Amino acid sequence: PVVEGSVVARRSYLDADEAHIYTDYAFTITDILKNRRRPGLIKGGQSIVVRRESGTVIINGLRATTIENGFAAFTENGRYVLFLRELGYPNIYGVLAGGRGAFEAGDQIAPMIALAPGATPVPRQAFLGEMRALLKFSE
């Protein structure tokens, strides 16, 4: 699915083996841009979890942090367009292709990672129009 939503909360933790740090971001979905594979699975106004392998936890009183390559953390109240993949758990998704599948959304749309030197944000309507046109061909 391709959605637009806002971060309302986050929680970082160690996995069961204590080998990886994950952060679960609670998103409220504001718009479904594409969900052909399983229509109705995600709806506007719904809350989902977007899981990322990064974050900060305290272990034995020391701060431990992992960062995805060039993919900044989502910010609370931040608004994003996300290309998602199901992770095999109900309502839990990952970002497709890491930072390449996440865009900061507002009046301008900007990639979460720099895809090309000197890349600039794109006006919202232009971005969404181009994206909808491209998604039509992937049906």
Side-chain angles (χ1 to χ4, degrees):
V2 182
V3 301
E4 184 171 353
S6 298
V7 175
V8 294
R10 70 177 176 193
R11 180 181 73 91
S12 297
Y13 58 93
L14 284 172
D15 67 357
D17 296 331
E18 298 185 349
H20 298 92
I21 298 172
Y22 291 93
T23 299
D24 284 350
Y25 293 89
F27 268 81
T28 297
I29 303 303
T30 55
D31 194 14
I32 309 300
L33 304 174
K34 181 180 180 182
N35 193 18
R36 302 255 188 258
R37 204 165 159 213
R38 295 179 63 191
L41 182 66
I42 299 176
K43 297 177 179 157
Q46 178 181 350
S47 291
I48 64 167
V49 172
V50 176
R51 181 169 290 162
R52 295 188 44 196
E53 192 171 341
S54 62
T56 300
V57 296
I58 304 298
I59 303 171
N60 297 325
L62 299 173
R63 183 182 301 257
T65 300
T66 60
I67 301 169
E68 289 180 81
N69 294 331
F71 186 5
F74 297 129
T75 59
E76 285 196 38
N77 300 317
R79 191 172 179 106
Y80 302 92
V81 170
L82 303 173
F83 288 71
L84 300 174
R85 61 186 168 84
E86 293 179 58
L87 293 181
Y89 305 100
N91 242 15
I92 299 178
Y93 299 85
V95 177
L96 189 64
R100 290 179 190 86
F103 300 83
E104 292 181 270
D107 292 338
Q108 305 272 324
I109 306 285
M112 292 286 293
I113 62 170
L115 298 178
T120 59
V122 175
R124 178 181 184 79
Q125 294 301 357
F127 177 89
L128 294 177
E130 288 293 321
M131 192 181 73
R132 285 189 173 111
L134 289 170
L135 289 173
K136 248 184 200 180
F137 291 109
S138 68
E139 293 179 355

